[in-house]
Amino acid sequence: SQFKNVIVKAPAESYVTGLTTSDLGKPDFEKVVEQHKAYVEALKSCGVQATELPADEQYPDSVFVEDPAVLTPEFAVIANPGAESRNGEKEAIEQALRPFYEKFYHIESPGYLDGGDVLQADNRFYIGLSERTNEEGARQLKEILEHEGYTAEILPLEKFFHLKTGIAYLGDNKLVVAGEFIGHPAFEDYEQIVISDEDEYSANCIRVNDFVIIPAGYPETKRKIEEAGFRTIELDMSEVQKQDGGLSCLSLRF
Ligand code: CIR
């Protein structure tokens, strides 16, 4: 299925003070602005219309718009982000989605859920239990999705930060997997593109219409994805990686 729209949000200067578990150092603000611009240009070159939200200094991590919502072609689910400093990001995202959707659902406390823990593969959804997504949040989302005719499976994460840190669906039954998802029984029906531990960061890639966007610096991943029949676009993600973010985190695609 083709994406027509994306929502992105400019990085705030406070970005450099955002949440992270990585030891890659403090991001450079000017550089993340450049990398974000290149990201938005790449999305546009894949044929989508971009809604570009202004930076919000109050929320250092708000550039990661994937976490406050889960979208399907038919409806939007406003998530309930599990990090306290990020929870309020959902207000601006719901507002930005209003023109595009009639039907909204909401994940409600004590349920917490980050969109980064949700993977869609055609009519199936996978929901990861993480530091950000609890059982109640996952259960609420599963109920919504099943009510709408999708299937949903809940999987506890062992090491990954978010579910999509280590997995991506490219369409045509093809799945990119790394780390704990290699050989995982939930995914045995897919054709798998297996990413080695050294290249783990590149498992977070995104199919956008005729292209797969991947992080720059992973020639093995590029080769594997091209061999699977896709054209790739590479983007420098260094300043995003420093704050635990990846390609999927920076946009909502629908
Ligand atoms: C956070 O800790 O919430 C941000 N620094 C990174 C969020 C990355 N989002 C994602 O994987 N979906």
Side-chain angles (χ1 to χ4, degrees):
S1 70
Q2 294 277 116
F3 292 124
K4 289 194 190 71
N5 292 291
V6 296
I7 290 178
V8 292
K9 186 160 180 153
E13 287 184 46
S14 60
Y15 174 75
V16 304
T17 69
L19 301 173
T20 190
T21 60
S22 93
D23 53 6
L24 300 170
K26 198 170 166 153
D28 179 303
F29 177 66
E30 307 296 326
K31 217 164 149 189
V32 77
V33 167
E34 284 316 304
Q35 291 178 355
H36 192 263
K37 279 190 185 144
Y39 177 80
V40 177
E41 286 315 306
L43 289 174
K44 289 180 183 166
S45 76
C46 298
V48 296
Q49 289 263 36
T51 299
E52 301 181 48
L53 306 178
D56 186 345
E57 292 299 335
Q58 196 191 339
Y59 294 108
D61 287 298
S62 56
V63 69
F64 299 116
V65 291
E66 172 177 75
D67 293 315
V70 176
L71 304 178
T72 73
E74 305 84 28
F75 57 92
V77 182
I78 304 303
N80 197 22
E84 209 181 335
S85 67
R86 300 198 57 191
N87 191 262
E89 293 175 21
K90 64 191 179 197
E91 317 292 340
I93 294 299
E94 176 160 2
Q95 239 186 23
L97 289 167
R98 283 278 161 204
F100 296 101
Y101 284 95
E102 277 174 16
K103 198 176 202 177
F104 283 81
Y105 293 93
H106 295 82
I107 304 299
E108 313 275 4
S109 302
Y112 288 94
L113 180 117
D114 273 11
D117 282 319
V118 182
L119 174 73
Q120 182 177 4
D122 303 324
N123 293 325
R124 304 179 186 179
F125 277 85
Y126 300 90
I127 310 169
L129 298 177
S130 69
E131 296 279 306
R132 303 292 177 83
T133 297
N134 65 8
E135 287 191 36
E136 173 57 17
R139 191 199 62 73
Q140 288 179 24
L141 181 62
K142 180 174 155 79
E143 193 173 289
I144 293 164
L145 293 168
E146 287 175 347
H147 170 78
E148 290 283 352
Y150 291 94
T151 70
E153 185 169 341
I154 297 174
L155 332 162
L157 302 186
E158 282 159 25
K159 284 200 206 144
F160 281 126
F161 172 54
H162 275 132
L163 180 80
K164 274 182 287 190
T165 309
I167 197 161
Y169 183 61
L170 302 183
D172 312 323
N173 208 44
K174 291 175 184 166
L175 200 63
V176 176
V177 289
E180 67 199 63
F181 300 129
I182 300 171
H184 192 297
F187 304 115
E188 63 196 8
D189 293 345
Y190 295 92
E191 237 176 275
Q192 300 194 354
I193 299 169
V194 176
I195 304 297
S196 65
D197 286 350
E198 312 82 270
D199 290 345
E200 189 179 284
Y201 180 70
S202 63
N204 183 280
C205 55
I206 48 174
R207 165 95 185 260
V208 186
N209 301 339
D210 295 336
F211 295 90
V212 177
I213 307 180
I214 61 174
Y218 299 91
E220 272 301 287
T221 299
K222 179 174 155 76
R223 184 185 61 73
K224 288 173 188 167
I225 290 176
E226 289 178 353
E227 260 170 22
F230 300 99
R231 283 193 279 171
T232 56
I233 299 174
E234 288 180 274
L235 291 177
D236 189 356
M237 294 291 288
S238 64
E239 306 315 293
V240 176
Q241 187 177 11
K242 286 176 182 173
Q243 300 303 70
D244 287 340
L247 286 160
S248 75
C249 319
L250 293 176
S251 58
L252 284 164
R253 305 164 294 281
F254 56 107

